[in-house]
Amino acid sequence: MDQLLTLNNGVTMPAIGLGVFQSPPEETAAAVETALGLGYRHIDTAAGYGNEREVGEGIRRSGVDRDDVFIETKVWVSDYGRDETLHAFDKSATKLGVEHIDLLILHQPMPQHFERTVAAYEALEQLLTDGKVRAIGVSNFMPHHLTALRAETEVVPAVNQVELHPYFTQRAVQEADSSLGVLTQAWSPIGGITFYPGWGEERTSVLEDPTIREIAGAHGRTPAQVMLRWHIQQARSVIPKSTNPDRIAQNFDVHDFELAPDELVSIDDLDRGVRGGPDPDAVDPSSWDLEIPEA
Ligand code: A2P
């Protein structure tokens, strides 16, 4: 049984969600079905991942009641704008095969077109009022993006999903989130971005980090489990991605051990302040060649 986190509007969300970024559509339904069979009750996808349909299929195949599953998805930037984002909800809900979405978030800020980011968020507010989504939020927002959004909109985002692992701990984002009452959710929580196969240049995998390995050894756990435990003890949500049944199981089996305060600090201290993913201010995501097909 997963730990529940309470969002700023009172909705509860299981702390651990199965991530499906880069999960090929043909493997996604099986991964979702496996995860739900193991006790996961939260799945994180995105319109931009191209596998919402298979997430819905996996939920139906699992036999778990839809209302017992917390479904999170993201609006891609090509659908930003008031009417476009309202329509993006319809596309995602239809592909997922659901009437409502538990958490709908903006995938990226668009600093170069911030007025469209605001219009997209206003559409999320409308969907919240209409009861089509239970909570709304953002992803990849830096503190100044949160400040700019708060200046122009009403509802405080429930969640900010950002790259966050021991080599990039995002202290400023975590502080901004908590001062506003936004829950921080970690993508690449076990540092997948530090070792994704095929991402070109040499990277140092956080799974190989000596400090993490030592702590893992002391607890008889794996490095991935230690990192997930570090997040959970610091009250973050995590969405580890795996399509491998053993690793899906391992990533959920993190509720029966406890890291000591000094162990948490020594993991915090591994921060290198260098992100693995794109800098939200340096890229114009609307220039990426990605359009979300109709359902
Ligand atoms: P796979 O799907 O083959 O398990 P992140 O969510 O931090 O981005 O990490 C995702 C990456 O980590 C994927 O490449 C995934 O591959 C791999 N992975 C997931 N769980 C584990 C684990 N427990 N131990 C090692 N690698 C893992």
Side-chain angles (χ1 to χ4, degrees), residues 125-147:
E125 292 180 320
Q126 182 68 51
L127 291 163
L128 188 64
T129 303
D130 295 346
K132 294 190 169 174
V133 299
R134 296 173 65 224
I136 61 176
V138 296
S139 181
N140 298 310
F141 271 48
M142 293 157 77
H144 58 281
H145 303 129
L146 286 172
T147 306

Side-chain angles (χ1 to χ4, degrees), residues 50-70:
N51 55 17
E52 286 174 313
R53 229 179 269 286
E54 291 75 15
V55 166
E57 189 189 320
I59 294 171
R60 286 187 294 281
R61 268 204 233 156
S62 74
V64 175
D65 196 296
R66 185 266 167 267
D67 288 336
D68 292 335
V69 183
F70 190 96

Side-chain angles (χ1 to χ4, degrees), residues 19 21-23 27 164-165 186-197 207 222-225 228 239-244 246-248 250-251:
F21 174 52
Q22 295 191 319
S23 299
E27 292 174 30
L164 207 167
H165 47 76
W187 68 253
S188 255
I190 59 169
I193 188 108
T194 67
F195 60 85
Y196 288 154
L207 284 178
T222 67
Q225 288 175 315
L228 294 170
I239 48 153
K241 174 266 169 183
S242 183
T243 47
N244 172 290
D246 291 339
R247 290 192 285 275
I248 294 173
Q250 186 193 120
N251 295 344

Side-chain angles (χ1 to χ4, degrees), residues 2-5 13-17 42 185 232 236-239 255:
D2 197 1
Q3 187 177 318
L4 291 176
L5 297 170
M13 176 177 83
I16 303 178
H42 174 181
Q185 184 175 52
I232 287 170
R236 289 186 291 277
S237 173
V238 288
I239 48 153
H255 293 101

